[in-house]
Amino acid sequence: MDFNDSPEEAAFRAEARAWLAAHAPVHELPVGAKMPDTEEADRGRAWMRELYAGGWSGLTFPKALGGRGLSGIEAVIFAEEEGKYHLPKGPFTSIGTGMALPVIAKHGNDEQRARFIEATLKGDITWCQLFSEPAAGSDLAGLRTKAVRADDGSGDWIVNGQKVWSSWAHLTDWGILVVRTDPTVPKHKGLTFFVVDMKTPGIETRPIRQISGASEFNETFLTDVRIPDANRLGAEGEGWACCMTVLMGERLGSGAHRSGVEPLLDFAAATPDGHGGTMLDDRSIRQQFAEALAEEQGERFFQARLRTMVSKGENPGALAGMVKLAYASRYQKTNGLALELRGLAGIAPEAGDTATGDVQYDYIYSTVMRIAGGADEVLRNQIAERVLGMPGEVRMDKDVPFEKLNG
Amino acid sequence: MNFDLSDEQKMLGEQARALFADMTPFDRLRTLIDSGAEWDEPLWRALADMGFLGAAIPEEYGGLGLGALDLGVIMEALGAANAAVPFMSSIVLAAEAIRLAGSEAQKAAWLPKLASGDAIATFAYAEGPGPVFATGAGLKGGKLTGSKSPVADAGIADIAIVLVAGGGFVLVELDQPGVKRTKLDSFDQLRPHFRIDFDGAVAEPMPGVGKLDRLIDQAAVQAAFEAVGAAEACLHMARDYAMERQIFGRPLGGFQAIKHKLADVAVATELARSNAYYGGWAAESSADDLPAAAAAARLSGIKCLEMAARENLQVHGGIGYTFEANCHFYYRRERMLAVYLGNRGFWADRLLNAQPGSQVKAA
């Protein structure tokens, strides 16, 4: 066991650090900066182009497809070094690299790989995910958006339905889309997976106003949207396997973060308690900090164990959900504590107090982290069933053709 | 980065688990309790024969010279079996105290005997309610006076390493007129504790000073491994019972209330194991990181075993409350381990004190 870099890894880290020192500062965002969505997305694309030009995009993708053909550990090292900067990377870039590209690489054909992978790594194409629907979130396979073959013999598909919670759908170029193509078979079997150009006529995105005040999610309405069969990924009826590939990438990507416990400690240690000491003298606060630190370290080192597994070619399976499950709740607790430590200023900071503003945002945002990418309850089921081998949930819809289901 | 045990360490863990499974089934624990035994002596001899007692003792003193992670995989197996042996007292604490702070003569005299199991040692630190690491006992003219209580495994120990006034250690042979040992009513019936009164007992000072922090950090990592092993055993026991037990026409384990509870225990156990690995790595390779690593491992070890021991008994329902079911062994050991070497508050302070930035040390 070694937590440190091997000599080769250390050399790679030094190379990454030097390149980032020369290129990242130009793209760095001011902390607490608020800017229009379009500007943030443009900055994201520009950073992707810079990464590609420098040879740092798609580290784990094969060289033949525009990547660098490296192991997972190098990708982690680069992400750690990149994480030291405040760069414009967001869902508008990571959905492409972390979710669309793995499914295209695994389930797509050569033509699709050639068409999309390098263009995405370059920042020329950005992606959104068209999965959830108003009645299909945790029960994703219950989706109703349907595709039928056009009756003109072209082989094209005509799609009708509604998707929801599609992050950045209003600003991205392409979407990964799962739809129902056969309602006469049980729900997991009648799904087919597509990539869709978001500029296709019949696609309308409407922003959803979120509790944070932002509108990064959308409802997406699809009305007689025509998709060529060449944009189908994998076989007709095998869309569920594609979804699983995407969700695995999402789980592994949504891992532990060093989420601000240390700066919060500094804040507590510097804030008077009114009795001649600081907020950090309070035993209950010390206990909460210690618990948060121990949990944060545990998440980080568990993630390190998963990365080691991945680098050895092992599949962590449902273990990948454990970090997200632990992290999301702790993130909520930590930001709740952070607001409390600020006293009344936590609920109404003075103008210019961007640090408190960020904590408020994170506290609100933490609620969606416990839902997105697998709700807490779904992840607990997966851990119980796939890690501990406990019985599956009672399923009333098993083996029932989708069209015969109620509701 | 390679954050996994080596193949040799995994094999060592397998051997340890196989030995404990063979020699200390739960019925054996019941027999030990009913007979008022202070330890499982045949198991101790077997651990000695396998070389486990000397795993982390240097080769020049009769050990195998392995590291903290090797010791950790043995401790994890010991925790899973809830074994009644003085491993923490004699090997993790006392032998390591001698290695860190003893004179050459003390090391040469005692480490080979501890490695072979021919002698047993304990570490006497507490003095009743109050600070966990107490220094009321002291030397006067080479004679030790004062009391230590509770002291684990003192009934079978040949020597005690005693924390004394000034923060140093002394080595005391326990079979002498100035030493009185009184067995206490121990909450963990498989880890008996004693009061020791020293009344002018002959004691040898140990030359190394300032070693207490290092000693208890290392021991905290090992206690975390023990807790992780016990927590996983509870988790599997609860899972297996829930799969077998039929209720309302289906297995108890099919209910989400049970599945979610055990999923949370599984997550806490894996996070604690990850912290224990890091603590073991830091103990071997990165002394600067050890204080924070040890405290985090200790805290998450307490947390996962607390969840696991409580929920294991709960999942078993009324059966879990019987002496014939096995939940109570872990339920008692959990509380013992939770306060042993300092409780949550003690380790929370140590974790915060180990953070970078001196103002954090305010409290």
Side-chain angles (χ1 to χ4, degrees), chain A residues 8-333:
Chain A
E8 296 76 23
E9 288 163 358
F12 180 84
R13 189 184 294 278
E15 187 198 341
R17 199 173 279 173
W19 185 84
L20 284 162
H23 296 85
V26 183
H27 296 269
E28 196 165 28
L29 302 172
V31 176
K34 299 277 182 279
M35 61 185 66
D37 292 352
T38 49
E39 189 186 338
E40 209 172 331
D42 285 346
R43 284 167 172 258
R45 284 193 180 89
W47 177 237
M48 289 294 285
R49 285 190 195 102
E50 185 84 54
L51 285 171
Y52 184 80
W56 297 99
S57 200
L59 292 177
T60 58
F61 280 88
K63 286 183 182 170
L65 295 173
R68 219 164 129 174
L70 298 174
S71 81
I73 294 291
E74 274 102 354
V76 169
I77 290 171
F78 188 74
E80 283 174 2
E81 294 300 320
E82 196 184 16
K84 293 175 183 168
Y85 296 87
H86 189 55
L87 291 165
K89 292 195 73 159
F92 44 86
T93 58
S94 64
I95 291 174
T97 54
M99 293 158 72
L101 293 198
V103 71
I104 292 168
K106 184 167 177 188
H107 302 274
N109 57 37
D110 286 345
E111 189 212 348
Q112 289 164 338
R113 283 191 279 262
R115 185 174 169 199
F116 293 111
I117 293 181
E118 190 160 9
T120 302
L121 295 177
K122 268 182 186 168
D124 290 347
I125 299 179
T126 55
W127 293 83
C128 63
Q129 180 198 26
L130 301 167
F131 274 27
S132 294
E133 298 186 4
S138 288
D139 183 12
L140 175 61
L143 59 89
R144 289 161 187 279
T145 296
K146 66 175 181 181
V148 295
R149 295 270 189 182
D151 54 12
D152 58 7
S154 63
D156 291 352
W157 296 85
I158 307 297
V159 181
N160 279 282
Q162 180 192 353
K163 295 289 179 177
V164 73
W165 317 131
S166 332
S167 303
W168 297 86
H170 57 306
L171 291 173
T172 44
D173 305 305
W174 283 75
I176 46 176
L177 171 71
V178 60
V179 298
R180 186 165 307 282
T181 47
D182 185 355
T184 68
V185 294
K187 65 181 183 179
H188 289 88
K189 294 185 176 160
L191 305 176
T192 303
F193 202 96
F194 293 93
V195 292
V196 57
D197 184 338
M198 292 301 285
K199 288 183 289 297
T200 312
I203 298 181
E204 185 202 347
T205 60
R206 292 183 200 162
I208 296 171
R209 186 177 173 197
Q210 298 154 213
I211 62 172
S212 62
S215 294
E216 63 210 13
F217 299 156
N218 294 270
E219 292 179 290
T220 304
F221 295 86
L222 301 109
T223 310
D224 294 332
V225 174
R226 183 176 278 260
I227 301 180
D229 192 52
N231 291 356
R232 172 169 50 80
L233 238 56
E236 195 176 329
E238 289 180 12
W240 189 247
C242 296
C243 292
M244 289 299 98
T245 301
V246 173
L247 295 179
M248 185 69 196
E250 184 174 12
R251 303 265 150 82
L252 277 174
S254 56
H257 304 259
R258 302 195 77 149
S259 56
V261 181
E262 285 172 23
L264 190 56
L265 267 174
D266 293 341
F267 177 86
T271 305
D273 64 358
H275 306 289
T278 75
M279 300 291 273
L280 203 54
D281 295 336
D282 183 296
R283 293 213 61 81
S284 122
I285 285 174
R286 292 179 76 76
Q287 196 73 48
Q288 290 179 66
F289 266 119
E291 192 173 316
L293 281 167
E295 286 180 22
E296 184 203 61
Q297 289 188 23
E299 291 155 16
R300 200 145 31 91
F301 301 137
F302 186 59
Q303 187 92 327
R305 289 169 57 203
L306 295 179
R307 286 167 182 162
T308 299
M309 286 174 77
V310 171
S311 73
K312 289 178 180 172
E314 296 165 25
N315 181 353
L319 291 174
M322 284 187 166
V323 179
K324 211 257 334 178
L325 178 62
Y327 168 68
S329 286
R330 185 182 54 73
Y331 184 72
Q332 189 170 45
K333 264 192 296 189

Side-chain angles (χ1 to χ4, degrees), chain B residues 170-238:
Chain B
V170 298
L171 191 158
V172 187
E173 296 196 36
L174 294 176
D175 190 14
Q176 60 167 302
V179 175
K180 184 179 156 213
R181 290 177 267 188
T182 310
K183 191 171 183 182
L184 304 174
D185 185 11
S186 301
F187 185 69
D188 181 347
Q189 298 150 300
L190 296 163
R191 188 70 59 90
H193 281 71
F194 292 73
R195 174 188 172 91
I196 314 184
D197 295 299
F198 300 101
D199 184 11
V202 177
E204 287 177 33
M206 292 168 69
V209 291
K211 303 294 185 184
L212 180 66
D213 282 329
R214 172 86 197 183
L215 178 70
I216 64 179
D217 280 346
Q218 290 181 177
V221 172
Q222 298 303 328
F225 272 107
E226 183 175 1
V228 166
E232 190 166 77
C234 290
L235 177 62
H236 289 163
M237 194 193 291

Side-chain angles (χ1 to χ4, degrees), chain A residues 1-4 9 283 286 290 294-295 297-298 301-302 305 308 312 377 380-381 385 388-389 391 393, chain B residues 1-4 239 243 253 256 259-260 263-264 270 274-275 278 281 296 303 348-349 351-353 363:
Chain A
M1 180 174 309
D2 198 347
F3 199 66
N4 290 329
E9 288 163 358
R283 293 213 61 81
R286 292 179 76 76
E295 286 180 22
Q297 289 188 23
F301 301 137
F302 186 59
R305 289 169 57 203
T308 299
K312 289 178 180 172
E377 293 74 13
R380 287 193 181 103
N381 274 354
E385 291 167 23
L388 298 176
E393 288 304 293
Chain B
M1 176 199 288
N2 175 13
F3 208 58
D4 192 10
R239 187 264 320 266
M243 301 280 277
Q256 262 188 348
K259 287 165 69 176
H260 286 194
D264 285 341
E270 287 304 336
S274 308
N275 277 338
Y278 184 66
W281 173 79
K303 181 177 176 178
D349 277 340
L351 181 55
L352 293 196
N353 292 345

Side-chain angles (χ1 to χ4, degrees), chain B residues 97-133:
Chain B
I98 294 169
R99 194 185 70 79
L100 287 170
S103 66
E104 190 47 48
Q106 287 164 337
K107 292 180 200 178
W110 290 104
L111 291 180
K113 287 185 198 166
L114 298 180
S116 67
D118 292 341
I120 292 167
T122 189
F123 178 56
Y125 54 95
E127 297 178 4
V132 182
F133 294 92

Side-chain angles (χ1 to χ4, degrees), chain B residues 337-358:
Chain B
L337 282 177
V339 298
Y340 199 72
L341 291 172
N343 64 15
R344 234 181 291 235
F346 177 85
W347 286 98
D349 277 340
R350 285 177 81 86
L351 181 55
L352 293 196
N353 292 345
Q355 296 307 304
S358 58

